[in-house]
Amino acid sequence: MGRTFAMRVFGWTYWALAATVAYVLVSIILPAASESPEAAAFIPLFVIFLAVYVVGAAAASFLKSAPNRPWLWLVLLVPPILFLLLNAPFLPYPLTHPADIGFSAVFPLTVLTIVLIVLGVTAFREARNPAMGSRSGPRAGLAVALVAGLTIGATATGYLAATSAGGGGGTLAETPTTTASLIAENTKFAPTTYTMGASDVLGLFVENKDSFGHSFDIDSLNIHIQIPGNSTVALAIKPTAAGTLEFYCAIPGHKEAGMDGTISVQ
């Protein structure tokens, strides 16, 4: 039995996943590792999975006995699914924020893994029943074309959003009566405490000195601002009453690393 269309596309998708992991490692993890110990801890994980992906892609593409080994196609699904599960806590933010630098990597990674699961199950069934190969080919081709278009379109949208958000510069929605600066560096905010009057409007200039993106969030005022790497964003904070406002970075793990603080409204 030769390779069916689904089996061939499975191999191509596996190579695309390996390329995506390599892209994340080179363009995001390694630059961030020089500034953040948390990012550096991910390097061995990405290197191991990249090596496993290359081996899996080679097996799916070149192993002569692969079409006659039904369970091989399901076994090859284990690394991508495990990789996605290990990174699950870090996926929601970039997937819901196209301007975030991680969107261009996380979205293709997620979509390609889903496509690989569908193709892997199809290849498993075709290896067990070769007669299915001729029937599933056209449907698989259409599905792959649709997913490829969706992935390219959404990734391009995220790239354009990130490009337009980059370079700093923000606008103040309110005329500030007082101003202050906040520095984001090494996955930490400094300073972490501010004081302002209840009738004031605080013009806050948030400078991100890291090469990767952060966010500035105050839930009680519905403030959720993205701050691309190496940029400055200006925003206005107008409290509704006296009390304490908590600000933080909403990207998973950043608040725990030291990206939070308070504004005392008097």
Side-chain angles (χ1 to χ4, degrees), residues 148-166:
L150 174 64
T151 303
I152 294 172
T155 304
T157 301
Y159 175 79
L160 292 174
T163 302
S164 63

Side-chain angles (χ1 to χ4, degrees), residues 12 39 58 72 85 101 105 118 141 161 179 186 199 206 211 213-215 219 224 241 247 263:
W12 302 339
L72 174 67
L85 291 176
I101 189 175
V118 175
T179 61
N186 297 326
S199 59
V206 186
S211 60
H214 293 299
S215 73
D219 292 338
H224 305 285
F247 63 87
I263 301 173

Side-chain angles (χ1 to χ4, degrees), residues 70-95:
W71 289 102
L72 174 67
W73 303 99
L74 297 184
V75 170
L76 290 177
L77 291 177
V78 174
I81 293 174
L82 180 59
F83 184 80
L84 204 64
L85 291 176
L86 288 174
N87 288 279
F90 307 99
L91 300 180
Y93 185 86
L95 286 176

Side-chain angles (χ1 to χ4, degrees), residues 166-188:
T171 58
L172 294 174
E174 299 277 350
T175 302
T177 59
T178 183
T179 61
S181 297
L182 176 66
I183 304 296
E185 187 174 15
N186 297 326
T187 321
K188 297 184 184 300

Side-chain angles (χ1 to χ4, degrees), residues 64 81 166 189 197 201 243:
K64 292 182 179 180
I81 293 174
F189 276 145
V201 176

Side-chain angles (χ1 to χ4, degrees), residues 40-65:
F42 284 93
I43 293 178
L45 177 67
F46 272 77
V47 170
I48 291 172
F49 271 97
L50 177 58
V52 172
Y53 274 31
V54 170
V55 172
S61 301
F62 307 121
L63 186 65
K64 292 182 179 180
S65 61

Side-chain angles (χ1 to χ4, degrees), residues 94-106:
L95 286 176
T96 55
H97 296 77
D100 184 77
I101 189 175
F103 179 87
S104 61
V106 169

